[in-house]
Amino acid sequence: MTMSSDTSQSSSAPARGSTRAKQPQPIKALHVGSGDPLLLLHGFMMSPHCWEQTAARLSTHCEVFAPAFAGHWGGAPTGGPSVDVGSLADRICEQLDELGWRTCHIAGNSLGGLVGVELARRGRARTLTLIAPAGGWHAPSLTQWRVNLKFLSLIPLVEIGKRMGGFVIGNPLAQRVALLALSKQASVVSRRDAAAALAAALHCPAMVPMILGAMRAPAQDDLSTLRTPVRLLLSEYDRVIPNRVYARRYLKELPESADRILVNGVGHVPMLEAPDRIATLIAEHVYASRTRLRAV
């Protein structure tokens, strides 16, 4: 089993010297472009904002839809005290039905990757691109508890941030601290994207219900049963779910036909640092499916 490595450089401009951005506003979904239907799913405590640059690049050849998850910033209410991958996928399926998309290409980051796997199991995915996906652990297990405790430890910081409101969202120091977890090179992430990431983390009513639900959730089924063409993108500097621990199941269980690519020089949410590279890696997988060629 081998993993290839992506070493090309991001073309996104450094954010140093940029002007102070206005306070970001919640959005229910990004919906841009025309062509092959492409669903983009964000991570836990994030929002569609993290896809904006990548979606713009992909929209030249794809009809891109990037919704906010229920219970997340811009998303619908969860409708109950418990939130899990299944309920998030239910709502996404409803949105796909509203669009008239029986199937579509899917790319998901972190939690979005885990939901993408669930959608693929339901027969909704033409191709599946997993970007630093969550769920690479057995349950119950110490690894499962470790990642949930990591998010539980953020609750006091989130509560403090809520009380400080817009000051935190627009504060360069607070943005830099947040980006330490999400990126490798905070300096290349725009102030606007950093502010949106902070705002999403501070406006996520599903935070505690999802953490508690994840502690009780069973492990996902064996990944070798996936029949959808899969491309796995792992971030070299993932500080949220480091590859050496949390990527093992994906590397071991995904079918041999799946692409396994290490994206160099990026953190857990690589779309913030390298939108060109991530757009290209998604697009390659989408285009290869047209002729049933494996993207390498």
Side-chain angles (χ1 to χ4, degrees):
M1 184 181 299
T2 60
M3 179 188 295
S4 56
S5 178
D6 172 67
T7 58
S8 58
Q9 296 299 311
S10 169
S11 63
S12 56
R16 288 195 178 102
S18 60
T19 58
R20 181 179 294 273
K22 296 180 180 179
Q23 290 288 315
Q25 299 299 313
I27 52 177
K28 293 181 179 179
L30 299 173
H31 193 183
V32 294
S34 61
D36 291 292
L38 173 61
L39 174 68
L40 302 179
L41 300 174
H42 64 77
F44 181 46
M45 299 177 67
M46 295 294 290
S47 75
H49 291 83
C50 69
W51 286 111
E52 283 185 300
Q53 295 187 64
T54 300
R57 289 155 172 80
L58 289 166
S59 66
T60 57
H61 297 288
C62 295
E63 181 181 351
V64 181
F65 182 63
F69 278 134
H72 290 66
W73 193 41
T78 58
S82 178
V83 184
D84 56 25
V85 170
S87 62
L88 294 179
D90 289 343
R91 175 55 185 147
I92 296 297
C93 284
E94 292 173 1
Q95 292 174 293
L96 296 182
D97 292 341
E98 291 167 3
L99 290 171
W101 291 5
R102 188 180 64 81
T103 61
C104 60
H105 302 280
I106 300 175
N109 172 231
S110 193
L111 171 64
L114 185 54
V115 176
V117 170
E118 173 63 22
L119 293 171
R121 295 190 190 281
R122 299 185 185 190
R124 306 302 297 252
R126 300 182 189 180
T127 63
L128 181 61
T129 303
L130 303 174
I131 306 169
W137 46 80
H138 295 282
S141 68
L142 179 60
T143 304
Q144 177 194 28
W145 278 86
R146 190 185 303 163
V147 70
N148 288 314
L149 289 173
K150 180 183 293 188
F151 282 107
L152 278 174
S153 70
L154 296 177
I155 293 176
L157 294 177
V158 169
E159 291 303 318
I160 292 172
K162 288 178 180 178
R163 286 170 172 76
M164 299 180 72
F167 171 78
V168 170
I169 294 172
N171 184 273
L173 179 59
Q175 292 175 4
R176 184 59 63 93
V177 170
L179 290 175
L180 286 175
L182 303 179
S183 64
K184 172 61 171 65
Q185 302 178 74
S187 61
V188 304
V189 180
S190 72
R191 290 283 303 278
R192 182 174 181 272
D193 285 345
L198 261 178
L202 298 180
H203 297 87
C204 182
M207 179 183 183
V208 174
M210 280 220 67
I211 295 172
L212 296 178
M215 287 182 170
R216 302 188 301 268
Q220 63 172 320
D221 293 339
D222 194 308
L223 293 158
S224 65
T225 61
L226 284 175
R227 295 294 175 259
T228 303
V230 179
R231 167 166 277 195
L232 173 66
L233 306 180
L234 297 178
S235 299
E236 183 183 14
Y237 294 96
D238 194 327
R239 299 186 179 103
V240 178
I241 46 175
N243 298 324
R244 66 182 181 275
V245 176
Y246 298 100
R248 289 177 182 173
R249 281 198 65 190
Y250 284 100
L251 290 170
K252 179 181 179 181
E253 295 180 11
L254 283 174
E256 285 293 332
S257 60
D259 300 321
R260 295 161 169 84
I261 298 174
L262 181 67
V263 186
N264 295 103
V266 297
H268 184 62
V269 187
M271 306 86 73
L272 298 177
E273 299 174 87
D276 282 338
R277 272 193 284 167
I278 299 305
T280 297
L281 289 165
I282 294 171
E284 284 177 351
H285 194 42
V286 170
Y287 298 157
S289 71
R290 293 175 175 175
T291 54
R292 299 185 179 179
L293 293 175
R294 178 173 171 236
V296 295

